[in-house]
Amino acid sequence: ANLVVLPYFTMTGTPYLTSDAVGVCLGLRLDTNRWELARAVMEGVAYEMRLNQDLLAQAGVEVTEYRGIGGVAKSDLWMQIFADVLDRPVTVLKATEGACWGAALLAAAGLGKLDRPDEFARRTVRTGKTYRPRPEVRDRYDQRLDVYRKVYPATRQLLRQVAQLG
C-alpha cells in the first residue's frame, strides 16, 4: 500500500517538538486493510528516527549502529523496518528493560558500588539478533521518506486547526 503516516498521536518529538500536533494518514483507499495501516505506522516511527539521524549527521555526529530494547524490539518486522529505513544495523539487546537497568547502574554508582557504570554496562549487556539494511528495499523507503519529509511542514498549520476544533 502507498501509505504515509505521521505518528503524532500525542505530540511531535524532535525535530519539531509541537505539543498540539495530530497524526496524519495519507493514501487511504477503500481496500486498505488494517495490516497495511499498522505497517505504515511502524514505518512512520522509523521515518521520525531517520529525520533525527539526518540532523545529527548534519551536525557531524554519525550514527553507525542502533540498539533495540523493550517491547518494540520483540518485533522482527519492526526491527527490520528500522534497519531498512535508517540504513544501519539494529542489534537487539537481551535485557528487556533498559530504563530500569540504567537506573540500577546509576544507583550503584551513587552508592559507590560501581566506579564506571558505562564500562560495567558494556561488559555485561548481552546482545541478540542483528537486523541489517536490505539494499533491495532502499529505493522503496527512500521514495516514501521523500514524501514523509514534506508532509508535516506542508500541513503544520492545518493540523493545528484540526487540533483546536471543538
Side-chain angles (χ1 to χ4, degrees):
N2 291 326
L3 297 177
V4 174
V5 171
L6 293 184
Y8 303 150
F9 304 118
T10 57
M11 63 179 290
T12 68
T14 54
Y16 303 116
L17 296 172
T18 305
S19 62
D20 61 351
V22 294
V24 171
C25 182
L26 297 174
L28 286 173
R29 301 177 54 91
L30 286 175
D31 62 347
T32 301
N33 62 47
R34 61 184 168 187
W35 162 248
E36 293 166 329
L37 186 56
R39 183 182 180 106
V41 170
M42 292 182 215
E43 290 170 347
V45 173
Y47 294 142
E48 282 295 297
M49 286 186 66
R50 177 63 185 268
L51 294 179
N52 286 287
Q53 175 183 288
D54 292 349
L55 286 172
L56 286 169
Q58 290 172 18
V61 177
E62 189 64 31
V63 177
T64 58
E65 181 181 3
Y66 287 88
R67 302 296 174 127
I69 194 163
V72 74
K74 294 175 184 174
S75 169
D76 287 329
L77 174 63
W78 213 338
M79 292 295 95
Q80 187 61 59
I81 288 171
F82 277 121
D84 291 335
V85 169
L86 298 169
D87 198 26
R88 304 286 188 277
V90 177
T91 300
V92 174
L93 300 181
K94 291 200 175 187
T96 58
E97 294 301 328
C100 294
W101 175 243
L105 290 177
L106 292 176
L111 292 170
K113 303 292 183 186
L114 275 180
D115 290 331
R116 296 289 313 267
D118 56 334
E119 290 298 323
F120 182 79
R122 277 197 234 348
R123 287 193 322 268
T124 59
V125 170
R126 303 291 179 246
T127 58
K129 183 175 180 179
T130 296
Y131 299 82
R132 304 217 176 270
R134 299 173 296 171
E136 66 271 18
V137 298
R138 184 170 293 129
D139 286 346
R140 176 188 185 276
Y141 281 120
D142 284 348
Q143 289 171 358
R144 282 165 175 69
L145 181 63
D146 182 54
V147 171
Y148 189 87
R149 287 182 199 281
K150 297 171 185 171
V151 174
Y152 185 69
T155 61
R156 182 179 307 177
Q157 294 305 320
L158 288 173
L159 296 178
R160 282 194 172 141
Q161 284 182 275
V162 168
Q164 295 170 0
L165 290 176

